[in-house]
């Protein structure tokens, strides 16, 4: 679950991390009202979209009075930033900036530890720093049992070579940020920039937070975040049909029965040089109705160039699956070629049914690897 900046800041604030006073609104009048309530100019008007680089895109503006708030708010509301329409803006008291730092925690799965990253080079994308000057990022791996001690935080800040004035404030914020990350069941907490003000205070000027969606049962208040999730249209359509679907960015649409087989199908398509458009598990019963629903969802994805149906018959019988596919194709007008790999119970009978319908755009292959190669060739690499 990705949070908007304003939600991330409110989340941080509950753990005592200093953020600028502000509020969120969806209207121009609301923006002026918030600015007046903050009571001191300048304020910053910030587009709330779940994508970085808002500043460069014109989605972050300083306003010196109510009129400027009005101008910026009306320009930013409705703006398109990298395909995201701005529906909400956050107005906060502007900060004076002496230095911009970077701080984050995330999980390092291969190390089986939490990974903290801290850099004196904040304000820019951390990927760019990692590329140009990797030594400028101080990393710590934290054993979840031990946690982050104050001494460890202090040594880490020293290693990152932050300005001496920023040491105390940063040590404090890092410990609070770690607590927010662990107790809040977050997958990522990132502050970029974490700023040092000319009068020596350290605070969070931006907030990027990803919460573990499976932890909502522990945090009833996270329902407010679920309510504002930006959902993939394809995922919404698939979930309405009761399909287990995850949208990806590639050109090969995938339908498989069983989550394990669906994941293996995504893997094998990648292995032979293709790019999966989705993960889709139709579950055990590959009947005509389920198959038609799955094909419809994939057919509506404009990126899809070819479709891979990968079915292993266990309890489900191959001939029933084949009949289901053929019936489904009669119901949905499919725009892309289809490659099918059918194996398992009654595979021979099933393949015989498919053979009657084979063409240049409807191909049956006996193995996963052959089917993957065929479908990727059809999708065009
Ligand atoms: P992002 O571009 O989407 O990551 O948005 P940020 O919230 O990180 O803001 C981008 C940049 O705008 C920051 O790195 C700052 O340089 C600038 N900025 C944001 N808020 C303020 C502020 O209160 N005062 C000043 N002077 N600059 C700000
Ligand atoms: Mn930022």
């Amino acid at each position: 679950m990705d949070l908007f900046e304003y939600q991330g800041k409110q989340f941080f604030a509950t753990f005592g991390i200093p953020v600028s006073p502000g509020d969120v609104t969806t209207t121009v009048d609301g923006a002026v009202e918030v600015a007046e309530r903050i009571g001191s100019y300048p304020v910053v008007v910030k587009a709330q979209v779940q994508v970085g680089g808002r500043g460069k895109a014109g989605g972050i503006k300083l306003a010196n009075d109510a009129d400027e708030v009005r101008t910026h708010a009306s320009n930013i509301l409705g703006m398109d930033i990298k395909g995201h329409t701005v529906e909400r803006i956050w107005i906060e008291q502007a900060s004076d900036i002496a230095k911009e730092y970077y701080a984050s925690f995330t999980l390092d799965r291969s190390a089986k530890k939490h990974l903290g990253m801290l850099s004196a080079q904040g304000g820019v994308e951390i990927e760019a720093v990692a590329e140009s000057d990797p030594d400028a990022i101080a990393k710590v791996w934290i054993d979840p049992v031990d946690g982050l001690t104050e001494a460890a935080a202090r040594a880490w800040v020293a290693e990152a070579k932050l300005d001496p004035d920023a040491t105390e404030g940063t040590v404090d914020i890092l410990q609070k940020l770690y607590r927010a990350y662990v107790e809040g069941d977050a997958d990522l907490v990132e502050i970029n920039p974490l700023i040092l003000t000319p009068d020596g205070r350290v605070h969070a000027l931006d907030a990027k937070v990803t919460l573990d969606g499976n932890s909502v049962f522990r945090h009833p208040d996270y329902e407010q975040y679920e309510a504002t999730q930006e959902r993939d249209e394809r995922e919404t359509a698939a979930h309405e049909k009761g399909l287990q679907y995850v949208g990806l960015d590639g050109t090969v649409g995938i339908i498989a029965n069983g989550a394990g087989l669906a994941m293996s199908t995504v893997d094998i398509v990648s292995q032979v040089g293709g790019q999966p458009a989705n993960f889709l598990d139709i579950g055990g019963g590959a009947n005509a109705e389920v198959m038609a629903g799955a094909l419809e969802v994939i057919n509506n994805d404009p990126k899809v160039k070819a479709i891979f149906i990968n079915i292993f018959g266990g309890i489900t019988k191959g001939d029933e699956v084949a009949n289901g596919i053929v019936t489904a194709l009669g119901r949905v007008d499919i725009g892309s070629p289809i490659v099918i790999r059918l194996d398992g119970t009654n595979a021979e009978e099933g393949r015989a049914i498919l053979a009657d319908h084979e063409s240049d755009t409807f191909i049956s292959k006996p193995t996963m690897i052959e089917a993957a190669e065929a479908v990727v060739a059809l999708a065009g690499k």
Side-chain angles (χ1 to χ4, degrees):
M1 262 188 332
D2 295 326
L3 304 198
F4 288 102
E5 175 198 6
Y6 75 91
Q7 295 171 322
K9 282 184 168 164
Q10 289 163 349
F11 173 76
F12 284 169
T14 62
F15 289 91
I17 296 167
V19 294
S20 307
D23 207 349
V24 70
T25 178
T26 57
T27 65
V28 175
D29 287 344
V32 174
E33 208 173 283
V34 173
E36 294 290 313
R37 208 184 322 136
I38 290 168
S40 78
Y41 289 96
V43 297
V44 195
V45 181
K46 306 185 78 176
Q48 297 300 292
V49 282
Q50 289 171 354
V51 56
R54 294 167 299 163
K56 277 185 203 148
I60 297 176
K61 296 282 184 193
L62 224 63
N64 289 301
D65 54 41
D67 279 344
E68 287 189 14
V69 172
R70 194 168 284 285
T71 309
H72 295 318
S74 57
N75 287 340
I76 294 173
L77 279 166
M79 183 184 265
D80 180 279
I81 299 181
K82 298 178 184 169
H84 299 248
T85 307
V86 180
E87 290 170 3
R88 301 175 190 82
I89 44 178
W90 165 260
I91 320 294
E92 74 175 25
Q93 193 170 67
S95 305
D96 287 332
I97 302 175
K99 286 286 168 60
E100 296 189 285
Y101 308 133
Y102 172 97
S104 71
F105 289 102
T106 186
L107 179 65
D108 182 341
R109 289 173 194 279
S110 50
K112 301 190 182 98
K113 286 183 177 165
H114 298 306
L115 168 63
M117 291 195 278
L118 182 66
S119 177
Q121 294 183 26
V124 292
E125 278 181 27
I126 197 64
E127 290 82 0
V129 179
E131 182 96 349
S132 65
D133 192 1
D135 293 339
I137 304 172
K139 296 182 180 177
V140 289
W141 282 268
I142 303 158
D143 190 311
V145 176
D146 302 338
L148 178 67
T149 61
E150 190 192 323
R154 202 165 282 281
W156 182 23
V157 171
E159 193 200 330
K161 300 192 177 67
L162 304 192
D163 303 72
D165 276 1
T167 303
E168 292 309 318
T170 307
V171 167
D172 181 54
I173 288 176
L174 288 174
Q175 290 174 274
K176 288 171 173 165
L177 188 62
Y178 182 75
R179 256 195 64 211
Y181 169 72
V182 173
E183 290 175 24
D185 286 310
D187 291 331
L188 168 75
V189 290
E190 182 187 84
I191 305 177
N192 187 23
L194 175 72
I195 60 160
L196 172 65
T197 63
D199 58 357
R201 287 170 303 118
V202 182
H203 85 261
L205 211 61
D206 194 4
K208 188 171 171 190
V209 175
T210 304
L211 300 173
D212 180 350
N214 293 316
S215 75
V216 176
F217 75 98
R218 271 205 285 262
H219 309 278
D221 57 314
Y222 284 7
E223 272 169 28
Q224 59 176 318
Y225 305 137
E226 282 193 317
T228 57
Q229 284 307 294
E230 292 183 333
R231 294 204 192 281
D232 186 321
E233 272 176 43
R234 301 172 298 173
E235 291 184 1
T236 309
H239 294 165
E240 274 168 12
K241 292 179 195 293
L243 299 166
Q244 298 298 321
Y245 177 100
V246 180
L248 303 169
D249 291 328
T251 56
V252 179
I254 287 169
I255 299 174
N257 67 330
L261 186 61
M263 281 190 270
S264 304
T265 311
V266 166
D267 284 349
I268 203 164
V269 165
S270 304
Q271 187 191 316
V272 300
Q275 285 161 338
N278 64 278
F279 162 100
L280 199 170
D281 166 21
I282 56 170
N287 61 31
E289 194 179 330
V290 174
M291 190 58 78
L295 282 167
E296 229 168 77
V297 168
I298 287 183
N299 201 40
N300 285 338
D301 182 345
K303 279 192 173 174
V304 167
K305 297 282 178 283
I307 301 170
F308 185 177
I309 301 178
N310 190 5
I311 305 290
F312 188 89
I315 298 167
T316 327
K317 294 188 179 67
D319 48 336
E320 287 170 16
V321 173
N323 279 325
I325 293 171
V326 171
T327 311
L329 286 176
R331 289 192 205 162
V332 188
D333 195 11
I334 302 294
S336 313
I338 297 176
V339 179
I340 302 164
R341 173 262 184 168
L342 183 60
D343 210 339
T345 311
N346 290 6
E348 288 304 321
E349 293 87 333
R351 286 179 198 158
I353 294 165
L354 295 177
D356 292 341
H357 299 267
E358 276 205 51
S359 72
D360 289 348
T361 56
F362 188 79
I363 297 162
S364 168
K365 294 282 182 191
T367 67
M368 247 168 97
I369 188 84
E370 286 168 278
E373 279 164 353
V375 78
V376 169
L378 285 166
K381 286 184 190 178

